[in-house]
Amino acid sequence: MGDLLDVFSWIGGGETSVADLLLHLLAALVLGQLVAWVYAWTHHGMSYQRSHVQSLILLALIVTTVMLAIGNNLARAFGLFGALALIRFRTPIKDARDATFLFLAVGVGITVGTRNLELAFVATVFALAVAAYLSWSQFGERIAADSVLRLTMPADEPREARLRAILRHYCSSFTLMHLRESGTSTMEFAYRLRLVDPAQSSALLTDLGAIPGVRATSLFVQDEEQEL
């Protein structure tokens, strides 16, 4: 047991007790779990992964451990970060918000690991409160959605008139981007749309599919593509 205490004393630079180490690791666990809870609660979309939520907690603990091990020893800092530089993370992060929460977990680990618990708790709670507010208020959400519609159908006035009538119903504005021949008496249309309600994009595709001869219909709404 004495040897184990000596190891902990070495990690903390000679002034850290086991109780002090456990206190900081517990603080990192609590704050990391709080970050993970807020992330899971405010997440929207199909990219949610349980492993990412758990990694937020583990990342806070790992960074705290590294910072406690470094202490005030500059040589130890270069050695540890040199070893960590050998690790390659190849998991792609498609959502900038996911990366933001990862940085927040790292920030938790750094502030707790440098024994600044007051800053860690205040800054983390404040940042998570802002994240919850932004999610609750839907800050940055656009009422109208810019979209691109592509479809192929026979070129005749009745079908085109019906197409325009449907677009006027679902869109606040629409513009024909290009029109080209894709076969015998068949034309490919490309429209730039501004949907009144993006949630009705499926209904728009359904109504377009009811036009005789329409095929290869695709609707690109911001970062989501729907096809019929």
Side-chain angles (χ1 to χ4, degrees), residues 108-191:
V108 168
I110 292 175
T111 51
V112 174
T114 54
R115 297 175 172 83
N116 198 339
L117 295 182
E118 182 177 353
L119 175 61
F121 276 93
V122 173
T124 302
V125 171
F126 184 80
L128 293 179
V130 172
Y133 160 74
L134 293 176
S135 177
W136 172 78
S137 64
Q138 297 182 342
F139 182 83
E141 178 121 0
R142 298 177 61 180
I143 297 176
D146 291 326
S147 313
V148 175
L149 172 68
R150 298 181 183 273
L151 59 90
T152 302
M153 72 176 187
D156 59 62
E157 184 56 32
R159 286 187 176 89
E160 293 183 29
R162 185 172 175 181
L163 169 62
R164 290 191 294 269
I166 293 174
L167 294 181
R168 280 192 293 268
H169 176 72
Y170 287 99
C171 307
S172 59
S173 64
F174 59 92
T175 304
L176 180 63
M177 296 170 56
H178 76 258
L179 175 65
R180 69 177 182 180
E181 186 174 359
S182 63
T184 305
S185 68
T186 302
M187 305 296 290
E188 179 181 320
F189 297 80
Y191 284 91

Side-chain angles (χ1 to χ4, degrees), residues 180-217:
R180 69 177 182 180
E181 186 174 359
S182 63
T184 305
S185 68
T186 302
M187 305 296 290
E188 179 181 320
F189 297 80
Y191 284 91
R192 182 177 298 278
L193 316 175
R194 175 157 289 188
L195 296 174
V196 175
D197 183 3
Q200 292 187 335
S201 57
S202 296
L204 169 60
L205 291 176
T206 300
D207 288 351
L208 291 174
I211 301 177
V214 169
R215 58 185 179 83
T217 305

Side-chain angles (χ1 to χ4, degrees), residues 3 7 11 18 31 36 53 66 70 95 102 123 130 132 142 173 189 203 207 209 222:
D3 294 338
V7 171
I11 293 176
V18 176
L31 291 177
V53 177
V66 171
I70 291 174
D95 192 342
L102 286 173
V130 172
R142 298 177 61 180
S173 64
F189 297 80
D207 288 351
Q222 293 181 349

